[in-house]
Amino acid sequence: MPICFLFQINLYKNVFSPKYGHTLGFIGFAQPTSGGLVSISEMQSRWMAELITGAVRLPSAPEMQNSIIKERNWERSWYYSSKRLTIQKIPLLYNDEIAEMIGCKPSLFRDPRLTWNLLFSVSAFQWRLEGPGKWLGAKKQCLSQPRVPLYHYCGIFILILVLIVILSVVLHLCDRFV
């Protein structure tokens, strides 16, 4: 085993030890690939609060250990192997995963305008739209976040491509029945 993998942590989702469960949590023990640590730490704290109140439960110790191994294998295939990159997390994916566990992952596609903003901008308010810790002002804040221009124009381009493909399929099907 390369020496750099000796620096891996044995924590479920970088927070809980399979040995101690929810009785001991390490909040903020992650290195975001982009953005700040604040949204990750907030999501971990909300998860810890839900565990303490009994609203959610952790998987069994063997299930947590299997998840740790699976994530570690994914990280080895995704990140450069070094002593420094052992707790890397992609904030959006990581927060969505925890949000799903505690019931606050936003349900997209109910509101097309909100969906567009969430797909093409960055907003930590999206995990306050529903579930525990819901905030009534979250939708307004999500909609007021500036769109990253490149994301926005790429989104429009992709939407146009999808519409062209759908239109060509429909036209092809119409030709078959005529």
Side-chain angles (χ1 to χ4, degrees), residues 3-67:
I3 191 164
C4 54
F5 293 124
L6 297 175
F7 294 94
Q8 294 281 337
I9 58 172
N10 195 42
L11 297 175
Y12 177 65
K13 306 298 178 200
N14 285 37
V15 180
F16 300 102
S17 166
K19 184 177 179 181
Y20 299 107
H22 76 279
T23 59
L24 177 65
F26 296 90
I27 305 300
F29 212 58
Q31 182 180 6
T33 55
S34 64
L37 184 58
V38 175
S39 69
I40 287 178
S41 298
E42 179 193 5
M43 189 58 67
Q44 291 173 336
S45 299
R46 290 173 67 190
W47 185 23
M48 182 74 168
E50 293 299 305
L51 287 163
I52 290 170
T53 62
V56 296
R57 300 182 67 86
L58 286 175
S60 68
E63 289 172 317
M64 285 193 281
Q65 193 61 50
N66 287 337
S67 177

Side-chain angles (χ1 to χ4, degrees), residues 102-158:
I102 64 174
C104 68
K105 182 177 179 183
S107 300
L108 297 178
F109 309 113
R110 289 185 188 168
D111 180 338
R113 189 168 153 233
L114 179 63
T115 300
W116 186 262
N117 264 40
L118 292 178
L119 289 175
F120 301 107
S121 69
V122 179
S123 175
F125 298 108
Q126 68 192 52
W127 297 292
R128 292 287 182 177
L129 289 167
E130 52 195 68
K134 178 180 177 176
W135 176 48
L136 296 177
K139 181 177 178 178
K140 181 179 177 183
Q141 288 298 319
C142 286
L143 291 173
S144 71
Q145 296 301 304
R147 288 187 205 110
V148 177
L150 180 62
Y151 289 175
H152 180 68
Y153 294 120
C154 285
I156 291 171
F157 179 73
I158 290 168

